[in-house]
Amino acid sequence: MKKIILIAAAAFASMASFANVDPVTGKVLEAFRASFADAKNVQWKSLDESGLFQATFNYQNSELSAFYSEDGEMVAVARYINKANLPIMVSKEINERYPDHAIQTVIERIANGSTTYHVTLNSPKSSLVVAVSPSGDFSVSKKIKHKL
């Protein structure tokens, strides 16, 4: 009986110690806190396939996602923005190329010192996800044709 109690206690202790394992390393947390000291409601996720850690949080009245390498290097920051806040050249390029599509969502992504806008566009015939630089450089990353 004493062995059963010891085994149960050891199992409970080990489960309790693993229940609160944080997926982030010390370097990642230090880098995050240095960049976003006033962040609120931080939630971490390990992106195993890429080796990155993602923090989703509120910062200065915006919801952001920051991506860190295992070494604590911030590799990208992203946030949803209102379509009215797109740079003029981005809006102009989208409207010229896809006049029959409406902008649904916009994600502003900053990585390696450059900004890219990932824009979801919808029309009755198709949906697109495009990546556009502030200067108007353009690429389609996903296209879905709707069945009519």
Side-chain angles (χ1 to χ4, degrees):
M1 180 72 166
K2 196 173 188 181
K3 283 185 181 179
I4 293 174
I5 293 173
L6 285 173
I7 292 171
F12 179 75
S14 66
M15 286 191 325
S17 67
F18 287 112
N20 293 322
V21 172
D22 201 338
V24 296
T25 63
K27 289 180 182 178
V28 173
L29 282 174
E30 287 176 27
F32 176 78
R33 289 179 182 145
S35 297
F36 302 103
D38 297 331
K40 305 264 189 276
N41 304 320
V42 181
Q43 295 179 347
W44 286 97
K45 185 185 336 180
S46 175
L47 306 176
D48 294 329
E49 66 279 355
S50 64
L52 297 176
F53 297 100
Q54 177 184 358
T56 303
F57 55 97
N58 294 324
Y59 183 74
Q60 297 181 348
N61 298 322
S62 293
E63 185 173 324
L64 300 171
S65 289
F67 301 86
Y68 289 86
S69 70
E70 292 175 346
D71 296 330
E73 178 187 354
M74 184 173 21
V75 294
V77 177
R79 67 179 176 159
Y80 284 98
I81 65 168
N82 189 304
K83 60 186 172 186
N85 293 332
L86 276 171
I88 293 169
M89 292 305 294
V90 172
S91 294
K92 180 180 180 304
E93 189 68 27
I94 290 170
N95 289 332
E96 285 177 2
R97 288 184 187 231
Y98 298 100
D100 58 336
H101 284 73
I103 295 174
Q104 295 302 305
T105 59
V106 179
I107 297 173
E108 178 184 57
R109 181 178 155 268
I110 302 168
N112 301 319
S114 64
T115 303
T116 306
Y117 297 92
H118 298 269
V119 183
T120 304
L121 304 167
N122 288 323
S123 79
K125 294 181 181 180
S126 66
S127 294
L128 305 166
V129 178
V130 297
V132 189
S133 73
S135 63
D137 294 334
F138 199 95
S139 67
V140 176
S141 52
K142 189 172 189 177
K143 185 173 186 173
I144 301 169
K145 289 188 177 184
H146 298 287
K147 295 178 182 177
L148 298 175

